[in-house]
Amino acid sequence: MGYQVVISQQISKEELIFLTQEWKGERFEDGRPKVPDEILDRMHLVTHDEAWAVMKNAGYFYQYADGWQIINPDSILIGRAVTATFIPGRPDIHDAIDARGKAEGKKGQNSWPVDVLIKRDVYVADQFGIHVNGPTIGDNVGNAIYAKTGNGIVYHGAIRDIAGLKELPGFTSYFSSYHPSHHNQQGNLNTMLVGINHPTRIKQATVMAGDVVLGRDGGVSFIPAHLAEKVVITSEIVRLRDMFGHERIREGKYTAGQIDMRWADDIERDFSQWLNERIDQLPVPKAQIQEFLKNRTW
């Protein structure tokens, strides 16, 4: 076993790299894919529809989850996933895990995943949807998460202290329910932590550490690290084509029917010229437009 396996349920660096071998870019010290900040910045304008299309075409069908309650629903949640997996409590397993963590100087298990968070992370936790006596996140843990990441959470379970969490302006969060109770009260062991940064299930989605979390419009997409740049570039091209199409329809140069269908070659040539003429004013990086134009056949 690697060192990381022995430390409080965290996946080993070797296993994390093995499971994310499609990612060819930079990694954090623990092996987690490090999607560049620039891609995270550009991700803010991506819609679920655009992300879904790219992932579906690549064979990834279980990367979107909806049906959430939301804190700060008008904001967009973007960041790199740190995953935590909780399962129903069983005393022998829980006590063994707990004893090892306490020997390492750690406190409650619900804080162990929080300890590994850094800026621009999103804490993604499978709390198996537990409601009564389920919450492992209240305003204290929530403040710790926000201080470390500047982000909120995606949490398949119940939170508590919701009034306090709503006071955090950047704590855009997706959660299953609210309940004022607390997990693992004396004599009622009901949750235990079995994995940090292992693959985990969030409702109908599979999430891996390092996935880019896109939370907006009531749903959350979990974009594999190696597809994040493609999702962003596809979104940007769709955005530019929409701008061009809407402008030309308003001018009366083309009909809505011509723009809605596969574009004829003369429209594609017009689009390329339109891009060239406006390359410094468009809301997409100039280098990205130049790369797109370089690969055009007209």
Side-chain angles (χ1 to χ4, degrees), residues 3-257:
Y3 176 77
Q4 292 284 1
V5 174
V6 188
I7 301 299
S8 307
Q9 312 316 111
Q10 188 165 345
I11 195 172
S12 72
K13 180 177 183 178
E14 294 75 20
E15 183 71 1
L16 184 44
I17 292 173
F18 173 75
L19 292 174
T20 57
Q21 56 192 279
E22 293 291 326
W23 171 251
K24 307 303 182 185
E26 187 179 355
R27 293 178 181 269
F28 291 104
E29 181 60 31
D30 64 1
R32 192 164 53 110
K34 186 180 182 182
V35 173
D37 286 349
E38 179 210 6
I39 297 299
L40 298 184
D41 293 340
R42 290 160 63 187
M43 191 70 68
H44 277 80
L45 294 177
V46 174
T47 67
H48 289 304
D49 308 80
E50 294 160 349
W52 171 268
V54 172
M55 292 189 289
K56 178 176 179 290
N57 288 339
Y60 292 74
F61 301 102
Y62 302 101
Q63 302 305 130
Y64 174 79
D66 55 14
W68 302 99
Q69 296 189 44
I70 310 171
I71 296 174
N72 295 326
D74 295 329
S75 297
I76 296 174
L77 176 64
I78 303 286
R80 306 177 186 95
V82 165
T83 68
T85 306
F86 293 82
I87 62 176
R90 172 174 153 159
D92 55 346
I93 299 174
H94 174 275
D95 293 349
I97 292 171
D98 217 46
R100 183 171 64 192
K102 288 177 179 175
E104 297 159 6
K106 295 184 177 295
K107 296 184 179 179
Q109 292 181 16
N110 61 318
S111 69
W112 296 356
V114 179
D115 293 341
V116 308
L117 295 170
I118 59 174
K119 288 297 180 186
R120 305 199 78 163
D121 283 346
V122 176
Y123 179 48
V124 179
D126 178 14
Q127 191 74 10
F128 57 94
I130 189 171
H131 181 60
V132 179
N133 296 324
T136 63
I137 293 180
D139 54 6
N140 290 329
V141 174
N143 268 277
I145 292 170
Y146 181 62
K148 283 176 166 284
T149 67
N151 266 329
I153 58 175
V154 180
Y155 188 80
H156 183 31
I159 62 170
R160 66 191 309 270
D161 301 321
I162 193 168
L165 294 175
K166 286 182 176 179
E167 293 176 0
L168 298 173
F171 196 71
T172 300
S173 298
Y174 293 75
F175 58 99
S176 298
S177 62
Y178 159 74
H179 200 273
S181 59
H182 195 284
H183 79 300
N184 291 358
Q185 293 298 290
Q186 188 169 5
N188 185 15
L189 173 67
N190 48 26
T191 69
M192 58 186 183
L193 177 70
V194 294
I196 299 173
N197 280 340
H198 292 265
T200 196
R201 186 181 74 176
I202 300 295
K203 296 192 175 186
Q204 63 268 38
T206 296
V207 188
M208 188 64 215
D211 283 359
V212 175
V213 178
L214 169 62
R216 60 175 301 159
D217 305 319
V220 183
S221 291
F222 303 98
I223 303 166
H226 65 281
L227 293 178
E229 184 174 18
K230 186 172 184 178
V231 165
V232 165
I233 290 172
T234 301
S235 170
E236 290 170 347
I237 298 303
V238 168
R239 206 173 309 139
L240 293 173
R241 291 174 78 87
D242 284 346
M243 289 178 65
F244 165 81
H246 296 163
E247 183 175 313
R248 289 295 193 251
I249 289 171
R250 289 194 299 270
E251 294 168 350
K253 185 168 184 177
Y254 306 122
T255 66

